[in-house]
Amino acid sequence: MELRVLNYFVATAQELNMTRAAQKLLVSQPALSRQIADLEDELGVKLFNRQPRHLTLTPAGQYLFEQAKEILALTAKTKSNLQSTAIISGDLTIAAGESIAMQRIMNILSNIIQDYPTVKIHILSGDYEFAKRKLNVGTVDFAVIIGNLPLSNYASLQLPEKDTWGVLMTKNDPLVKKEHITAADLAGRNILNSQQAEAMHYFDSWFGNYKDQINIIGTYNLSFNGTLLVKNHAALSLTLDKLADVSEDSNLTFRPIYPKMTESITVIWKHSTNLSAVAELFLNRLQASIAED
């Protein structure tokens, strides 16, 4: 598979219309159709279901679409970094979960951008599985991982910050009167849990004998949308501190859980990867920032 043909395929998969894709690529429609047909012959699979004026991806086409986007992103990143060896330039990509510790990361990135204006920064938000997959395929330089997770396959640097688990609720909820929330307080309540915490059974021990009385109505991947559900009084949210707006102007407030549960924050990268100049710069500045504390 040639990169040029993969680019043609991705454009066609995005447009789901051969004419629009050809216009986007600045090629003729017959030439594009021929390239896609040749790609299908090469792979021995059908990539598109062809309908009048419209295309849909087959399961094989959907799989190739996801893989091709990763391949093209990695190719562009590699080319950019190779072309910027004379000075610190190129792209720095970080996959990260939501944490107050990201403020340290953002401070470092802000200083790098100020010192090296040609550097491009890309932040991808997601949970551990998302960040790990991006790191493994090479489309990100670093991942910021929240929690005590298996990291033996990676180089790592733990940040000083820790996140504290608690319950997000509206300010008129009866639990607002409490300084901290116990599992007994959540019995009979609708609870929205972190997708990562739910999948890894973080709270099973903390729930204890109340586990069957706590109604987990669903999960969130990133906290903002879960916050909207809390605002609608549909549920309380088990979440980390300092992620939601709990200022005087907000209708939300946060109470830590008891017994207390905290999470470490770790920056990881691949052992076997030769870091680009800008990635080395970021890592050096991160280490210096931690040493200063």
Side-chain angles (χ1 to χ4, degrees):
M1 290 183 291
E2 297 181 17
L3 292 176
R4 174 179 56 83
V5 177
L6 278 183
N7 190 52
Y8 285 0
F9 167 74
V10 167
T12 305
Q14 289 171 335
E15 296 295 332
L16 292 176
N17 180 281
M18 202 70 73
T19 300
R20 288 200 303 270
Q23 291 171 345
K24 180 178 179 180
L25 293 165
L26 302 178
V27 299
S28 69
Q29 190 271 333
L32 178 60
S33 297
R34 187 164 55 253
Q35 291 284 356
I36 298 300
D38 288 346
L39 180 61
E40 290 178 319
D41 289 342
E42 178 186 349
L43 298 175
V45 295
K46 187 177 180 181
L47 299 173
F48 293 99
N49 294 312
R50 290 161 173 79
Q51 302 169 1
R53 299 173 180 264
H54 185 67
L55 302 172
T56 59
L57 284 166
T58 65
Q62 185 62 51
Y63 173 76
L64 181 61
F65 183 42
E66 297 303 323
Q67 296 298 107
K69 287 189 292 183
E70 297 278 10
I71 292 168
L72 293 173
L74 180 57
T75 301
K77 177 179 172 58
T78 302
K79 181 179 179 181
S80 174
N81 288 336
L82 285 173
Q83 291 175 338
S84 59
T85 55
I87 59 171
I88 294 180
S89 184
D91 293 79
L92 180 65
T93 308
I94 299 173
E98 294 177 302
S99 168
I100 190 60
M102 285 302 294
Q103 186 61 63
R104 179 187 296 271
I105 304 292
M106 293 305 173
N107 291 344
I108 293 169
L109 295 179
S110 298
N111 289 334
I112 289 175
I113 293 170
Q114 183 175 357
D115 294 341
Y116 303 96
T118 59
V119 167
K120 304 298 181 188
I121 304 297
H122 309 280
I123 307 297
L124 308 180
S125 297
D127 61 10
Y128 170 65
E129 290 299 327
F130 169 84
K132 183 176 69 171
R133 180 173 65 83
K134 291 290 186 183
L135 193 61
N136 288 343
V137 299
T139 52
V140 303
D141 299 292
F142 300 96
V144 182
I145 301 300
I146 299 164
N148 185 21
L149 297 162
L151 303 176
S152 59
N153 293 330
Y154 305 97
S156 63
L157 185 62
Q158 188 165 316
L159 302 185
E161 295 83 359
K162 286 189 178 293
D163 291 320
T164 300
W165 283 102
V167 177
L168 188 69
M169 63 190 81
T170 55
K171 289 180 178 176
N172 60 358
D173 192 282
L175 293 180
V176 167
K177 299 175 183 178
K178 292 182 168 287
E179 292 184 7
H180 54 249
I181 306 300
T182 66
D185 295 326
L186 300 184
R189 299 296 302 267
N190 290 341
I191 304 298
L192 193 65
N193 197 5
S194 153
Q195 180 177 296
Q196 180 172 303
E198 185 71 10
M200 296 186 173
H201 306 285
Y202 277 8
F203 291 103
D204 282 5
S205 295
W206 186 82
F207 289 150
N209 294 333
Y210 294 96
K211 186 175 187 299
D212 293 336
Q213 300 176 47
I214 295 172
N215 184 24
I216 303 294
I217 64 164
T219 62
Y220 62 86
N221 186 22
L222 299 174
S223 67
F224 178 75
N225 288 339
T227 299
L228 299 180
L229 204 60
V230 175
K231 286 182 178 179
N232 285 343
H233 304 277
L236 307 177
S237 179
L238 278 167
T239 186
L240 298 172
D241 61 336
K242 301 182 180 69
L243 295 183
D245 177 13
V246 292
S247 64
E248 287 187 11
D249 295 332
S250 169
N251 189 36
L252 299 176
T253 191
F254 176 91
R255 294 291 183 272
I257 62 174
Y258 182 84
K260 187 177 182 179
M261 289 178 62
T262 61
E263 300 290 356
S264 58
I265 302 100
T266 310
V267 177
I268 64 174
W269 61 100
K270 292 175 72 174
H271 275 301
S272 57
T273 300
N274 291 323
L275 296 177
S276 66
V278 66
E280 286 278 10
L281 175 66
F282 167 78
L283 185 57
N284 290 339
R285 291 196 176 188
L286 179 60
Q287 291 170 328
S289 170
I290 294 171
E292 287 174 3
D293 289 344

